[in-house]
Amino acid sequence: MLRRMWEKVLSKVKKAVVFMDDKCAEALHWSGGAALLLEAGARNLKEFSSFEACAANEPKAVFVVSTLLKGRTIDIIKDIISLSHFQYCVVITTVAHSVHLLANNVTTEMESNPVFEQFEEKLCEWMGNMNYTAEVMHVPVVFAPVSQQLLLTPMFAHLFPLLSPDLESINAKRPEKKRFGSLVDVDVHSLPVELQLEIKSLAAVLNSVFEATGTREESFAVGPMSRIIAGELANHPQAKNRRKTAPNKASIIFVDRTMDLTGAVGHHGDNLVEKILTVLEPLPGHVTDVQVDMLELTSLQRTPDSQTTLAPGCLAQTQSTAAQSLWEAMLTNKHKEGVMEVRRQLVETASKEKLPIKMSMGRVTPEQLCSYVQLFRSSWGSLENHCGVLQLGLATAQTLRHPSLPRWDACLAFERLLLQALGDSDFPAVLRQLLPLMKPCGGEDSAASGSRSRDDECGPDELILLLTYLYSLADEAQPTDQDTEEEELEKLERELIGALTLVITLEPQLSPLLQKLTGCANPEELTTERAHTAVEEMFETLRGLSHTRDHLKQLRSVYTASDGVHQATYRPFLQQILEEVFHPDRLECPDIEHMSGGLTDLLKTGFSMFMKVSRPHPSDNPLLFLFLVGGVTPSELRLIKEIVSAHKPGTQVLVLSTRLLRPTDIPEMLFTTQRLLPDIGF
C-alpha cells in the first residue's frame, strides 16, 4: 500500500529535478531512499530551500512537501521557480485538500479542488507563461515503514498529547464560566487553529490508509488527545461512505504517550536499538535515523577532515533482505540477543565471501565486531554486496564502545533504587535522593571537590530524565499528612532548582536538550537567570506528570509495590491495555473508550437500556492497529510482540506512531515543544 502511494510520486518525476522537505525525505528514506526516484528517471534530488535552484537545461521540477500550501511553503516554491527556468512544475503535498479548505476558512464540502487549481495558476504565473504546465495534487506519502510491525509518521513527529500547562493556556483565553476542569473536557474546537489543522490532517492520512486497503475500522481511545483524534477520524466526511462498503475489518486503539512517561524515560528497556538511537548522532534533518561512522570500511586515516569527506552510514537498510532481518532482530530482541545476532550475521557473511574469519565465542566486544567488518575492506565486491549488514554491525560496535554508554547503566541502577524507595517513603523523601547526584562538571581534582568527573556519573540530561521518571510516579509514593508534604516538597523543589541551575551553568558544553531548554547555543551566552527560569518552568510541567491518569477508572497505576518477596516493579501501561484487549473473557474495560461516532452509536446506547446490545470490542477483528500518539519505544515493540504471541497468536498487530523514542526525546517534548502551536508551515 505504501509503495502504491510512492508510485503516484514516481510517475511524475521522469526528467525532473525533485525538491523535497525533510519530513517527506525521511519517509522516502525508509521506503527505498533516493534510489527509488533516480530509478524512476529523476535527474536530481535537492533540499526544499530558497537557496536551491536549477539551470536553464532543467525545465521540469517536482516539489514534494509535508505542509499546507500556504505561508512559508509558498514563499520557498516561488523563490526556487524565480531563480530557475521551469516550463513544467508538479507540486505534491501530503496534506489533504479538505484540510486546505479549512485552513482557508471554507467549511463546505466540494467535489473539485479549488485551492489546488488556484495554485496551479500561480505556478504558471511565476514560471512566466500561462501556457506552461502546472499540476498540484495530494498524495499521503507520510509513512516511514521502520519495520514489518512499525510505521512512523515523520510529518507528525512533534505532535504530543497536551499537559497541564497547556490546559492553563487554553483556559486563559476563555471566559471564567467556560473554563475546562481537566484535559479530558477539551474538545477539538477549543484548540488553536494550528493544532486543529494538524489533527485533521492526521485523521485524513489515516482515512486514506483505510481507503487504500478497503478497511472498515472500529476506533478506540485512551487519553484526551487520542479521543480528539479518534473523534476526528470517526467524523471524517469521506470515512462514512467508506465504512458502508469496505470489505476488511480492523480495530484501531489510539493511546496517549502521557499515559505512561515512566516507560519512555526509563532505561529498563533492555534493547540495543534504544541505545544506538541514544548515543549516536542523529542523521541531519531526521528524527529517527542516526549517523554511522564508515571510516572502518576504508583505508583512510582518522583526521579532523576525514569526518567530512566520508558520507555517514545509517540504520535504514531497505535494499538488502539480510540487513532487514538483522534490523528486525536488533529492534525487537533483548540487547544481548541483538548483539549476538549482529556477530552471527557478520561471521556468516564473511564465511560466505570466503574471507579469513577467526571464530570467537563468549562475550561480544566492539573490537571483535570491528575486526570482522574490516575483513570486507580487501574485497570491493563483498563490501558492496553486504553494505547494509556492515553498517548495522558498525552502528552496534560504535554504540558498545561509546563513552556515554556507562551512563545508561548508572541511570538504570538509580531508577531501580527509586522504584524500591517509592513503596517505603513519601514523595519528598524519595525525591531528596536526587540532590547528591546534582554535581557540576569537575576539573582536575573533581573527586575532592565533590563534582562529577567519571563517564558514568549523571550529567544534566540524565538528571532531567531521572526527575521526569520520578515525578511520573509521584502518586505511587507512600501518603503522609498532605500539608506537611506540600510544604516540604516546595522547600525541596527550591533546593533542586538551585542545584540543577548550578549544574547547567557550569557545563563546558550544552547538549542539544540544554540548548533547546535555555535557548542558548553555547555556555558563553547562558546567564544564571536564563538557566534558573528554564529550570523553574520545567518544574511547573513536572508537577502535573503524576496526574495524567487521574481520569481513568481502572488502569491508573504503572507500579507494583514490593510484597517482601518480589521487588517493586514498573508495569508498562501498554502491557495492561493489551492484557485487557486479549483477555479470554472479553471484559469491558471502561478506560478503552469506543469512539466510532454517529447516530447509530447513540441509538445503540439508548436501546441497550431495553435489550442486550453488545458494544464493539477491540479484539473483535483479526487486525489491530495500535496508534501511539507521542511515540513508542523499541522495548515496547518487543513487549507488544511477546504479549500478542502469548495471548492471541492469530491476531496481527500493526504499530503506528509519531516517532521511535529515545529516552531524551521525552524531556524535549515536555519542556521545549510548542504542543499547542505545531509548525504547519504557515
Side-chain angles (χ1 to χ4, degrees):
M1 174 210 61
L2 301 182
R3 193 60 195 249
R4 278 212 303 273
M5 297 200 179
W6 275 108
E7 271 160 13
K8 290 180 187 169
V9 176
L10 299 178
S11 69
K12 297 289 173 189
V13 302
K14 196 169 186 181
K15 294 187 177 168
V17 175
V18 181
F19 296 86
M20 195 177 278
D21 70 13
D22 284 351
K23 290 169 179 177
C24 290
E26 185 161 7
L28 175 69
H29 176 74
W30 290 94
S31 306
L36 270 190
L37 297 175
L38 299 171
E39 284 160 16
R43 291 175 65 165
N44 201 351
L45 177 59
K46 294 190 175 197
E47 192 181 349
F48 182 66
S49 150
S50 293
F51 301 103
E52 293 286 359
C54 284
N57 63 348
E58 296 172 313
K60 182 181 173 186
V62 174
F63 299 92
V64 187
V65 296
S66 61
T67 45
L68 282 160
L69 302 178
K70 268 179 98 76
R72 198 174 61 236
T73 304
I74 287 192
D75 295 341
I76 295 173
I77 293 174
K78 188 179 177 180
D79 290 344
I80 295 172
I81 291 175
S82 59
L83 293 169
S84 308
H85 304 79
F86 300 135
Q87 296 169 22
Y88 185 179
C89 275
V90 182
V91 174
I92 294 167
T93 170
T94 62
V95 181
H97 187 266
S98 57
V99 180
H100 279 84
L101 285 175
L102 288 169
N104 289 298
N105 299 318
V106 180
T107 48
T108 49
E109 282 180 52
M110 297 196 178
E111 286 302 306
S112 60
N113 293 342
V115 181
F116 291 173
E117 286 157 17
Q118 283 165 13
F119 195 47
E120 284 171 1
E121 285 177 25
K122 276 268 195 305
L123 292 170
C124 291
E125 219 173 279
W126 297 336
M127 286 190 281
N129 187 331
M130 296 312 282
N131 294 323
Y132 283 168
T133 311
E135 293 176 65
V136 177
M137 61 183 73
H138 157 62
V139 184
V141 281
V142 296
F143 289 103
V146 169
S147 80
Q148 289 172 346
Q149 182 197 2
L150 174 68
L151 291 177
L152 295 183
T153 53
M155 179 178 164
F156 302 102
H158 292 280
L159 181 67
F160 200 77
L162 302 179
L163 296 158
S164 43
D166 303 313
L167 181 64
E168 286 167 32
S169 305
I170 292 170
N171 278 337
K173 296 193 171 84
R174 295 174 72 80
E176 191 95 23
K177 286 181 178 165
K178 291 194 169 174
R179 291 191 174 160
F180 296 113
S182 80
L183 283 167
V184 184
D185 307 323
V186 175
D187 57 31
V188 73
H189 306 292
S190 52
L191 300 174
V193 69
E194 292 87 342
L195 185 54
Q196 285 191 41
L197 290 170
E198 178 97 329
I199 288 170
K200 286 175 189 293
S201 208
L202 176 56
V205 160
L206 293 170
N207 178 63
S208 64
V209 170
F210 293 139
E211 212 151 73
T213 52
T215 303
R216 177 162 91 244
E217 84 287 0
E218 290 289 352
S219 296
F220 301 85
V222 188
M225 181 67 104
S226 286
R227 284 183 64 188
I228 292 176
I229 296 169
E232 282 301 307
L233 177 62
N235 297 316
H236 192 278
Q238 281 117 34
K240 290 167 185 165
N241 295 333
R242 166 175 57 75
R243 285 195 207 100
K244 287 175 194 158
T245 56
N248 305 313
K249 283 177 155 187
S251 303
I252 180 165
I253 306 176
F254 294 89
V255 182
D256 282 6
R257 176 73 263 173
T258 43
M259 296 296 102
D260 180 2
L261 290 169
T262 314
V265 291
H267 293 71
H268 52 84
D270 181 21
N271 180 279
L272 174 58
V273 170
E274 227 154 44
K275 292 171 187 168
I276 292 174
L277 295 177
T278 301
V279 303
L280 298 189
E281 288 293 313
L283 208 54
H286 287 247
V287 176
T288 303
D289 213 340
V290 294
Q291 301 181 51
V292 180
D293 184 349
M294 303 289 276
L295 208 67
E296 317 261 1
L297 285 173
T298 69
S299 45
L300 287 173
Q301 291 302 305
R302 190 172 291 282
T303 65
D305 299 335
S306 60
Q307 293 302 99
T308 49
T309 52
L310 197 61
C314 64
L315 301 173
Q317 301 301 329
T318 54
Q319 310 297 324
S320 140
T321 47
Q324 277 175 323
S325 77
L326 176 56
W327 167 246
E328 296 277 347
M330 290 162 68
L331 187 61
T332 55
N333 286 349
K334 289 190 170 178
H335 173 92
K336 192 178 173 186
E337 294 160 7
V339 172
M340 300 283 276
E341 186 57 22
V342 171
R343 177 170 72 181
R344 195 188 67 74
Q345 286 242 25
L346 284 172
V347 168
E348 204 171 277
T349 308
S351 311
K352 263 189 208 155
E353 293 289 339
K354 303 201 167 33
L355 296 170
I357 189 128
K358 285 194 181 76
M359 275 299 293
S360 53
M361 300 308 285
R363 205 165 68 85
V364 181
T365 65
E367 295 71 32
Q368 185 191 79
L369 295 178
C370 282
S371 70
Y372 293 161
V373 166
Q374 284 165 357
L375 293 172
F376 290 81
R377 283 200 301 214
S378 54
S379 158
W380 183 250
S382 310
L383 202 155
E384 199 176 359
N385 291 341
H386 305 291
C387 196
V389 169
L390 296 175
Q391 285 174 67
L392 295 173
L394 280 173
T396 304
Q398 285 158 27
T399 299
L400 295 180
R401 66 168 178 226
H402 200 279
S404 68
L405 195 64
R407 286 188 194 176
W408 184 284
D409 296 326
C411 284
L412 175 61
F414 213 80
E415 284 160 13
R416 284 182 176 155
L417 284 173
L418 294 172
L419 263 188
Q420 304 314 314
L422 277 168
D424 309 324
S425 325
D426 61 6
F427 183 60
V430 184
L431 193 55
R432 187 167 289 284
Q433 299 192 22
L434 288 185
L435 262 176
L437 291 188
M438 298 208 173
K439 302 176 196 167
C441 205
E444 295 302 305
D445 56 348
S446 50
S449 65
S451 59
R452 145 179 132 251
S453 60
R454 302 206 321 271
D455 282 339
D456 63 350
E457 291 197 85
C458 292
D461 285 24
E462 287 77 25
L463 293 170
I464 291 170
L465 284 174
L466 287 169
L467 280 165
T468 309
Y469 183 83
L470 204 42
Y471 271 89
S472 73
L473 290 166
D475 272 10
E476 312 286 357
Q478 289 302 307
T480 53
D481 173 36
Q482 200 155 3
D483 294 341
T484 7
E485 185 170 323
E486 277 293 307
E487 212 173 293
E488 201 185 330
L489 187 58
E490 257 177 62
K491 195 169 146 240
L492 176 57
E493 281 179 350
R494 281 199 297 276
E495 271 184 78
L496 286 164
I497 289 169
L500 188 54
T501 301
L502 183 65
V503 168
I504 291 172
T505 46
L506 292 175
E507 276 299 284
Q509 272 179 318
L510 298 182
S511 68
L513 174 63
L514 292 182
Q515 288 178 29
K516 286 179 184 157
L517 200 62
T518 59
C520 298
N522 52 53
E524 293 75 50
E525 288 174 47
L526 182 60
T527 61
T528 306
E529 286 79 21
R530 278 183 92 160
H532 193 266
T533 307
V535 175
E536 272 191 325
E537 285 172 2
M538 190 179 91
F539 269 82
E540 274 172 38
T541 303
L542 284 171
R543 283 181 203 114
L545 294 189
S546 65
H547 300 296
T548 52
R549 290 185 297 274
D550 281 3
H551 66 285
L552 299 179
K553 296 180 177 69
Q554 187 178 327
L555 310 174
R556 292 188 64 151
S557 170
V558 290
Y559 178 78
T560 307
S562 163
D563 58 3
V565 181
H566 308 97
Q567 286 196 321
T569 53
Y570 152 68
R571 279 190 68 215
F573 189 73
L574 265 184
Q575 176 182 342
Q576 297 181 52
I577 283 189
L578 289 174
E579 283 170 357
E580 286 296 321
V581 168
F582 296 132
H583 196 286
D585 300 339
R586 285 176 45 100
L587 303 171
E588 182 108 1
C589 176
D591 298 330
I592 305 173
E593 196 177 343
H594 181 240
M595 292 295 300
S596 296
L599 186 63
T600 49
D601 223 43
L602 290 172
L603 288 174
K604 270 186 206 168
T605 319
F607 281 130
S608 63
M609 290 160 71
F610 308 107
M611 50 194 282
K612 197 165 166 36
V613 176
S614 65
R615 279 191 162 294
H617 192 274
S619 66
D620 288 344
N621 301 314
L623 174 60
L624 172 64
F625 290 97
L626 267 181
F627 193 112
L628 295 151
V629 182
V632 62
T633 68
S635 27
E636 285 170 339
L637 292 174
R638 183 179 84 235
L639 183 79
I640 293 165
K641 196 169 134 184
E642 286 170 357
I643 291 173
V644 174
S645 61
H647 288 71
K648 206 164 181 195
T651 307
Q652 191 189 355
V653 175
L654 256 181
V655 183
L656 303 172
S657 188
T658 46
R659 62 201 292 157
L660 188 59
L661 289 168
R662 38 176 87 69
T664 43
D665 285 343
I666 290 294
E668 187 187 313
M669 307 299 277
L670 294 181
F671 312 125
T672 74
T673 305
Q674 292 266 19
R675 289 176 297 273
L676 283 170
L677 297 169
D679 179 4
I680 56 171
F682 269 18

